[in-house]
Structures are given as C-alpha cells and as structure tokens.
Amino acid sequence: MRTTDDFELIESVSADALVSHPVWSHWAPEVDRERVLAWGVAEEELDRQIELFESCGPVPLYPVLDLADLGDRKDLVVATRFEAADGARLWGYLLEPHAFGIFHLGEEYSFNRNLPAFSEREAERLAAALGTSADMIFPLFFHVDDEIPVTAGNEGEITRFW
C-alpha cells in the first residue's frame, strides 16, 4: 500500500499524476469514501479535498493507494507503456474498455474507441509530433506493470479502429 500523505483529488490525469501513483479512479462518494478512509486517509483531509470539487467541475480522480483493492473495477486510469508499430516507445494510460492516452513532449493525445473520427485526428496529431505516419503507430502494443492486476490484462495490442 502506498502512503496516505500524498492523497489528493485531481481534475484530470496527467503524466506527473501517473508518476506519483500508477492507478487512479473516478470519485464516486457512495462507494469510495469508506474505501479511502480504510486506507488510512484522515477524514478531515478527505473532506477538505472533496470540498474543492463539490460545487462544480468534473468528477475528480483519486489515487488508488492499495493496488490489491482493484478487483474487477473498470473505472481505472492505469499508467501504461506503449510501443508503436515502428518501435517508438511511448508513455500514457489505459482507461478500459474504450479509452487510452499518450503523453509526448508535454502534450496529451487521447483516444476513444467510441469516437473513431476524433481518435483518427489524434493519431494524425501524434504521428506529426513523432515525425511519422499514423500507419506506423498502429498496431500499438501496451504493457502495464505486473504489480497492477488489471482486468484487461497487463499486455495487449490496440489495432487501428477507424
């Protein structure tokens, strides 16, 4: 289990957030409050963090401090290493079953299997940043650290879906 000292709710995932914690989840107070308190996060600190998001804004994310507590959850943003078809090594996240993102040179490239036209534009944008073509990115291979038991599996392939 990771330390509770750096527990925080955040608005959106970033490369820095994934470096500090490899797994994040969307906050659902009816199920997550008790889970987070059971990890040892102080109730006062949790309430302070929640208050920052109560009035408006997106549903925040929180770090999963106990990786044994993942179960079969599907709302997880998981740090992931990618390898493009041309061998380029990339870093980002999986949000199974439909989405994934890649960070490159300070930019985020987001993909969603339910949004093929949007994902195609993101692939072209990423390809331009890499100095290649989208055909050289896909299929994209992924690997999640073995210490993170994800339901989608720790390795796999994402084929072009548009």
Side-chain angles (χ1 to χ4, degrees):
M1 178 154 40
R2 296 179 184 272
T3 177
T4 61
D5 294 339
D6 57 349
F7 177 86
E8 65 179 325
L9 293 173
I10 61 173
E11 188 171 311
S12 61
V13 73
S14 66
D16 289 342
L18 290 169
V19 168
S20 68
H21 296 283
V23 180
W24 292 76
S25 182
H26 292 89
W27 177 255
E30 61 280 356
V31 293
D32 292 324
R33 182 178 183 79
E34 292 308 314
R35 175 182 290 140
V36 169
L37 292 174
W39 292 337
V41 173
E43 189 167 12
E44 305 79 38
E45 176 58 19
L46 179 59
D47 289 341
R48 188 186 71 72
Q49 292 278 333
I50 291 169
E51 190 174 306
L52 299 172
F53 290 91
E54 278 186 326
S55 57
C56 65
V59 173
L61 296 164
Y62 70 94
V64 176
L65 300 179
D66 185 355
L67 297 180
D69 197 16
L70 298 181
D72 62 354
R73 297 172 58 184
K74 294 182 178 20
D75 64 339
L76 302 173
V77 179
V78 181
T80 306
R81 293 186 309 275
F82 294 95
E83 185 175 335
D86 68 358
R89 297 185 183 276
L90 304 164
W91 161 254
Y93 60 87
L94 285 178
L95 176 55
E96 286 295 331
H98 302 292
F100 60 97
I102 293 174
F103 298 106
H104 180 68
L105 299 177
E107 293 288 324
E108 180 179 357
Y109 302 86
S110 301
F111 298 85
N112 187 316
R113 290 177 184 91
N114 292 324
L115 302 170
F118 171 80
S119 296
E120 182 178 18
R121 288 190 302 273
E122 286 291 273
E124 293 296 334
R125 199 168 72 88
L126 175 59
L130 293 170
T132 190
S133 69
D135 292 337
M136 298 305 292
I137 296 173
F138 291 87
L140 189 64
F141 302 92
F142 69 86
H143 178 79
V144 174
D145 285 343
D146 291 335
E147 72 180 35
I148 304 170
V150 292
T151 57
N154 290 66
E155 293 184 336
E157 176 180 306
I158 301 169
T159 58
R160 187 173 172 160
F161 51 93
W162 55 87

